[in-house]
Amino acid sequence: MTCRFNRLISNRSEGAHSGVPLLKDTPLVGEAFNSNVLNAKDRTELRIIIRPVVMSN
């Protein structure tokens, strides 16, 4: 009999925020001078498989 544990998942994403220094922070026109870039997405899944074995002497 083998026991398996799944769904130990970790998600990670990295991004950068850049723009024109003073204009990106203004309330009405800030979105035109702003840029968000998603650099990387990473998903890690850990799988653990256990198989018990009975040993005799």
Side-chain angles (χ1 to χ4, degrees):
M1 173 158 99
T2 301
C3 297
R4 191 170 80 182
F5 301 101
N6 285 341
R7 301 295 177 197
L8 299 172
I9 297 174
S10 173
N11 291 322
R12 188 185 76 175
S13 63
E14 294 178 2
H17 181 75
S18 64
V20 179
L22 293 176
L23 295 176
K24 71 176 182 174
D25 297 326
T26 57
L28 297 176
V29 294
E31 292 297 321
F33 298 100
N34 192 7
S35 136
N36 293 323
V37 177
L38 182 62
N39 291 337
K41 279 185 150 179
D42 188 22
R43 178 179 172 162
T44 305
E45 181 174 350
L46 177 64
R47 293 184 181 185
I48 301 172
I49 300 172
I50 300 172
R51 189 176 77 179
V53 176
V54 177
M55 299 175 69
S56 62
N57 289 336

